[in-house]
Amino acid sequence: MSFPETFVWGAAAASYQIEGAVDMDGKGVSTWDVFCQRPGVIWHGHTGGVACDHYHRYEEDVALMAEMGLRGYRLSVSWPRVMPEGTGRINDRGLDFYERLVDRLLASGIEPWITLFHWDFPQALYERGGWLNRDVADWFADYAAVLVSRLSDRVRHWMTLNEPQVFIGMGHRDGTHAPGIRLTPRELLRAAHHTLLAHGQAVRAIRAAARQPCAVGCAPVGQVTIPDGESPAEVAEARRLTFEMREPTLWTNTWWMDPIFFGRYPEDGLAAFGRDVPEVRDEDLRTIQQPLDFFGMNSYMGYLASSRLRHKAADDGWPPGHPRTACNWPVTPAILYWGPRFFHERYGLPIVITENGVSCRDWVSLDGAVHDPMRIDFIARHLRCLHRAVSEQIPVWGYFYWSIMDNFEWAEGYKERFGLVHVDSRTLERRLKDSGHWYRQVIATHGRVALE
Ligand code: FCB
């Protein structure tokens, strides 16, 4: 039992969470740089100012990836590092960094998968209205064109946006992520619509600028409802719950994905939002519905169908004693079977697990190693479910573990450790955890080590 030879074994990270060097070599300010200065918003006042200093240590980091035998590395580019004001002037030194990184990855046999936007939004554009300004779609497409013109002779996999549900929801509704504001429901939906337009225009820009055939996707949160059992009725119920929108919330799949794949907002969502639905101009939905090559799915936890019907806000419905990670997320491996199955059935594209992972309270033991058996167990359980999807002929291109290394976990600061590589936050020393060594075996055996 194993995964196909072509399966992409990967790991992921994002610019603001690992790079540091936030004011070096001409980088512009991002909303996360500003947000981190606000008292009380980040655990213990941490910031991404230094993060893992990956900007200076990328060679060492790529060497660790190569040691694990990674086939793919999902990275994101910091928009203000490339365009300090977000639009107009290009910062060549910023682009040079990504070029060096890409070259180093390719020389190590690792395919770069690039996300254009993983939340570090240019502050200058935020001051011009940010996602509330419809021009954001043009700004984003221009930035996409700059990046793709420079890197697409070497890079063949692109993703537009990481988790719009989170940067709009937590950044603009809850105020717990940058830019830390609380919009009205009506404004939120306008910002979300512009986000979708930005996605569509960026896909067009990527295809127009690409110097070789490339695969384009996005990486939304894939929210999966797991059936209670496997009777046709139970499966149908879980599918319905995965794609329904009874509540007026952006924490859904379909409000984001139906416009992208079907060129329309879901009827139940339109009904739920009522008068808050944004103005949609004639061409908008055609712009948003650009052909994509894969469905990227970030997924960490799911709901159980029956408990979802019962669950109240602030309670995810899992019973007492259900396994939980260090950040209290329920452990629900079945998402990696049902997610690919439901999303492939509905949207028809090959699936890539663009993020999945676990935070544990890891530390360096007396013997100098980092023992993280729970992470190994977590990944193995998830890979088993993913393998079931693969064996049922659901096309799954790859799996990107989040994260390659411990990093700045947004409002949680450095409290949460998701890495295969342990990073000492003070010395920045890197050390492969047991799970990193184990992942090397998984990759070398096309997954057998995790399945047997
Ligand atoms: C996802 C984010 C990623 C990381 C993981 C733990 O929501 O995309 O940056 O924070 O969660």
Side-chain angles (χ1 to χ4, degrees), residues 53-279:
D53 197 30
H54 172 72
Y55 189 77
H56 295 110
R57 296 170 195 243
Y58 71 94
E59 293 181 345
E60 182 185 351
D61 293 334
V62 175
L64 286 164
M65 296 175 202
E67 190 180 330
M68 275 183 244
L70 290 194
R71 304 275 167 78
Y73 170 52
R74 175 173 177 244
L75 63 124
S76 80
V77 168
S78 158
W79 181 352
R81 200 182 283 292
V82 169
M83 299 174 89
E85 292 85 34
T87 181
R89 188 170 64 86
I90 297 169
N91 176 35
D92 274 314
R93 284 182 297 168
L95 274 175
D96 290 345
F97 167 68
Y98 295 107
E99 195 162 71
R100 290 194 300 277
L101 174 57
V102 161
D103 287 345
R104 179 57 68 143
L105 288 164
L106 291 171
S108 311
I110 303 165
E111 186 85 28
W113 289 57
I114 296 189
T115 309
L116 300 181
F117 178 68
H118 198 133
W119 308 353
D120 38 2
F121 191 78
Q123 176 70 14
L125 295 185
Y126 171 65
E127 284 164 13
R128 293 167 68 181
W131 294 102
L132 280 172
N133 185 336
R134 198 179 151 96
D135 291 343
V136 72
D138 295 330
W139 300 332
F140 188 56
D142 290 348
Y143 156 63
V146 167
L147 203 60
V148 172
S149 312
R150 179 74 173 260
L151 295 176
S152 62
D153 56 338
R154 286 154 283 182
V155 176
R156 300 180 303 145
H157 295 89
W158 299 93
M159 285 146 287
T160 54
L161 303 167
N162 185 71
E163 299 188 349
Q165 291 101 328
V166 177
F167 73 81
I168 293 295
M170 297 179 75
H172 298 76
R173 182 200 54 215
D174 310 338
T176 53
H177 277 192
I181 54 176
R182 291 163 194 257
L183 299 178
T184 63
R186 200 179 168 73
E187 290 169 324
L188 263 183
L189 287 177
R190 189 146 58 85
H193 186 63
H194 297 158
T195 302
L196 287 166
L197 278 175
H199 161 82
Q201 288 192 209
V203 177
R204 272 195 194 136
I206 294 170
R207 301 229 190 258
R211 295 202 249 154
Q212 61 172 320
C214 59
V216 184
C218 56
V221 182
Q223 296 171 82
V224 183
T225 301
I226 299 165
D228 290 290
E230 300 213 357
S231 72
E234 286 165 317
V235 173
E237 174 70 349
R239 185 187 292 108
R240 187 183 69 72
L241 289 167
T242 296
F243 297 114
E244 80 160 7
M245 262 196 80
R246 248 187 318 182
E247 313 276 319
T249 167
L250 287 172
W251 197 246
T252 76
N253 297 307
T254 53
W255 190 258
W256 303 95
M257 293 301 115
D258 281 13
I260 288 179
F261 292 103
F262 301 150
R264 58 167 191 268
Y265 280 111
E267 290 297 331
D268 54 356
L270 290 168
F273 284 130
R275 285 187 315 164
D276 291 329
V277 167
E279 179 209 359

Side-chain angles (χ1 to χ4, degrees), residues 17 118-119 162-163 166 298 300 329 355 402 409-410 418:
Q17 294 180 273
H118 198 133
W119 308 353
N162 185 71
E163 299 188 349
V166 177
N298 286 7
Y300 291 84
W329 296 352
E355 285 181 27
W402 181 276
E409 179 49 30
W410 310 114
F418 281 87

Side-chain angles (χ1 to χ4, degrees), residues 332-375:
T332 58
I335 52 175
L336 285 205
Y337 169 68
W338 295 104
R341 177 167 157 181
F342 288 160
F343 289 118
H344 177 67
E345 280 172 357
R346 186 176 178 91
Y347 298 121
L349 286 184
I351 305 292
V352 179
I353 306 303
T354 37
E355 285 181 27
N356 170 250
V358 58
S359 158
C360 302
R361 295 279 173 260
D362 306 313
W363 68 79
V364 181
S365 289
L366 286 172
D367 63 5
V370 180
H371 303 298
D372 56 345
M374 284 156 119
R375 180 167 292 104

Side-chain angles (χ1 to χ4, degrees), residues 10-56:
S15 46
Y16 190 71
Q17 294 180 273
I18 64 169
E19 285 178 2
V22 289
D23 51 8
M24 291 204 59
D25 295 340
K27 178 185 164 292
V29 177
S30 81
T31 49
W32 268 96
D33 295 319
V34 175
F35 186 64
C36 286
Q37 300 309 319
R38 205 191 281 179
V41 291
I42 315 282
W43 192 72
H44 287 203
H46 294 168
T47 80
V50 176
C52 308
D53 197 30
H54 172 72
Y55 189 77
H56 295 110

Side-chain angles (χ1 to χ4, degrees), residues 3 6-13 61 64-74 110-111 113 336 352-358 370 372-384 386 396-405 418-421 431-451:
F3 282 81
T6 51
F7 193 78
V8 183
W9 294 100
D61 293 334
L64 286 164
M65 296 175 202
E67 190 180 330
M68 275 183 244
L70 290 194
R71 304 275 167 78
Y73 170 52
R74 175 173 177 244
I110 303 165
E111 186 85 28
W113 289 57
L336 285 205
V352 179
I353 306 303
T354 37
E355 285 181 27
N356 170 250
V358 58
V370 180
D372 56 345
M374 284 156 119
R375 180 167 292 104
I376 293 174
D377 187 74
F378 179 98
I379 301 175
R381 285 175 190 272
H382 284 75
L383 288 178
R384 285 175 187 203
L386 188 61
V396 183
W397 284 1
Y399 173 83
F400 288 82
Y401 178 77
W402 181 276
S403 170
I404 181 65
M405 62 185 117
F418 281 87
L420 297 167
V421 173
R431 194 184 306 251
L432 221 57
K433 301 180 189 176
D434 286 356
S435 59
H437 291 289
W438 174 82
Y439 199 47
R440 166 155 39 88
Q441 297 301 318
V442 171
I443 298 172
T445 60
H446 303 289
R448 265 193 300 280
V449 160
L451 300 176

